[in-house]
């Protein structure tokens, strides 16, 4: 057999997505390139790895076994790379981090300096919803998770990184449409846009409205903060959102923060891990890095956020 590591990686992505189109998008390759590599890989086996029924691609039982073997081969190759660098005196390994979607505005700044110093450490960061983040942590698939609401069902340790402030936002040109009673905003009149259920942002928004005994007449649900931002900019409605992801839109006056009693809702971004977890040298070094550099990172990159005052 004369397969390449590139073919193994492409085949695994096809197995994962069950689609040549999706695999090509995730690998930043053209569909023909992925198809050719799958064909070249298949030609080395007498038994089919995949089959297409209708328009759906399926992985055969033999293909599943080859996929598992491919994972082991690639894992061993990765281990050889790290061992080589370790013999040269470099800190090596891989950091695995799961991040809730809004955390994408936070986590990279707490990683860049560390990875520049330790260039031989690989990073795998999964940005997804809170449910999947906590599931990955619970199943010990990641070293760390970044959350803004601590889990109740997991025994975790944590490092608090920085504040998470949530404000009511709206389209700048629609401020004159707001209604007030006794100088207090009437929230019931607003078409409110929510994140999907399970989101920490959704929970914070619902808790805020519940405390104020607000029952909204119109509710819109979108699955990402980016989608909500665009919906609010378009004038579709209003939402309670984390300040951390609004810097450019506020500066460009596409969005405005609407004063409302009880806001901002404030929590903390926490990097968490399972208590008792045995860290790799890379993970241990990263914890030590955060303990010594966290305040300087916040001062350099997030002073605007920490010092932001409610209107």
């Amino acid at each position: 057999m004369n397969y390449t590591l590139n073919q193994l990686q492409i085949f695994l992505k096809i197995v994962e997505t069950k689609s040549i189109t999706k695999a090509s998008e995730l690998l930043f390759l053209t569909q023909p390139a992925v198809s050719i590599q799958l064909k070249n890989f298949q030609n080395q086996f007498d038994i089919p790895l995949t089959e297409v029924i209708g328009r759906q691609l399926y992985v055969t039982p033999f293909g599943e076994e080859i996929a598992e073997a491919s994972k082991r081969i690639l894992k061993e190759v990765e281990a050889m790379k790290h061992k080589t660098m370790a013999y040269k005196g470099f800190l090596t390994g891989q950091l695995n981090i799961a991040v809730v979607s809004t955390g994408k505005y936070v986590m990279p700044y707490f990683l860049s300096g560390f990875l520049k110093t330790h260039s031989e450490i690989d990073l795998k960061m999964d940005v997804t919803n809170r449910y999947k983040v906590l599931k990955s942590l619970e199943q010990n698939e990641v070293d760390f998770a970044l959350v803004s609401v601590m889990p109740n069902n997991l025994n975790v340790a944590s490092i608090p990184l920085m504040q998470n402030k949530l404000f009511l936002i709206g389209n700048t040109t629609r401020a004159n449409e707001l209604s007030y009673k006794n100088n207090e905003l009437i929230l019931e009149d607003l078409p409110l846009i929510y994140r999907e259920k399970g989101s920490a942002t959704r929970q914070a928004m619902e808790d805020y409205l519940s405390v104020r005994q607000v029952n909204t007449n119109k509710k819109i649900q979108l699955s990402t903060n980016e989608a909500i931002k665009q919906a609010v900019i378009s004038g579709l409605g209003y939402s309670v959102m984390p300040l951390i992801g609004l810097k450019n839109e506020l500066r460009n006056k596409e969005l405005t923060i609407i004063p409302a009693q009880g806001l901002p809702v404030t929590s903390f971004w926490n990097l968490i891990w399972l208590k008792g977890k045995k860290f790799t040298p890379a993970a241990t070094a990263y914890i030590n890095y955060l303990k010594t550099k966290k305040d300087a990172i916040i001062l350099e990159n997030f002073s605007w956020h920490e010092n932001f005052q409610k209107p």
Side-chain angles (χ1 to χ4, degrees), residues 15 18 22 31 85 202 216 254 291:
V15 171
K18 303 294 190 295
K22 291 180 181 177
Q31 290 184 41
M85 300 313 300
R202 165 77 173 247
T216 56
E254 297 174 292
K291 289 178 179 178

Side-chain angles (χ1 to χ4, degrees), residues 163-234:
Q163 285 186 325
N164 181 34
K165 304 174 184 179
L166 292 91
F167 289 89
L168 179 65
I169 62 165
N171 180 304
T172 304
T173 62
R174 294 188 62 181
N176 59 348
E177 301 176 8
L178 303 174
S179 301
Y180 293 84
K181 182 177 181 180
N182 298 326
N183 294 321
E184 185 172 344
L185 179 67
I186 302 175
L187 293 164
E188 286 88 348
D189 292 345
L190 301 182
L192 292 177
I193 306 175
Y194 291 72
R195 278 287 303 275
E196 79 284 1
K197 287 187 178 294
S199 160
T201 300
R202 165 77 173 247
Q203 188 62 54
M205 184 171 172
E206 289 183 331
D207 289 346
Y208 168 73
L209 295 173
S210 176
V211 167
R212 308 197 69 77
Q213 298 181 331
V214 174
N215 293 312
T216 56
N217 297 318
K218 185 175 181 182
K219 182 184 293 187
I220 302 168
Q221 178 176 302
L222 298 175
S223 59
T224 68
N225 281 357
E226 289 299 322
I228 291 176
K229 280 198 298 186
Q230 294 307 313
V232 175
I233 289 171
S234 74

Side-chain angles (χ1 to χ4, degrees), residues 61-171:
F62 178 69
E64 294 285 359
E65 290 192 23
I66 295 300
E68 289 301 315
S70 299
K71 289 178 186 177
R72 292 193 295 271
I73 292 169
L74 291 172
K75 188 174 181 179
E76 287 299 320
V77 171
E78 189 70 16
M80 284 192 290
K81 184 186 85 169
H82 291 311
K83 286 177 182 177
T84 300
M85 300 313 300
Y87 268 96
K88 292 182 177 181
F90 294 102
L91 181 63
T92 70
Q94 179 170 282
L95 282 179
N96 295 292
I97 304 176
V99 177
V100 294
S101 56
T102 313
K104 66 188 175 187
Y105 300 108
V106 175
M107 199 68 231
Y109 294 93
F110 289 92
L111 284 163
S112 60
F114 178 76
L115 294 176
K116 285 177 183 177
T117 302
H118 303 291
S119 59
E120 302 307 322
I121 292 179
D122 295 329
L123 171 67
K124 181 180 179 183
M125 188 170 79
D126 184 24
V127 180
T128 185
N129 61 52
R130 186 172 185 270
Y131 172 79
K132 291 181 179 179
V133 165
L134 295 181
K135 196 69 175 176
S136 295
L137 187 69
E138 182 180 12
Q139 295 178 349
N140 200 30
E141 296 171 348
V142 295
D143 301 309
F144 306 106
L146 182 71
V147 296
S148 60
V149 177
M150 296 291 282
N152 296 322
N153 61 327
L154 296 177
N155 189 16
V156 299
S158 67
I159 292 180
L161 296 184
M162 58 180 283
Q163 285 186 325
N164 181 34
K165 304 174 184 179
L166 292 91
F167 289 89
L168 179 65
I169 62 165
N171 180 304

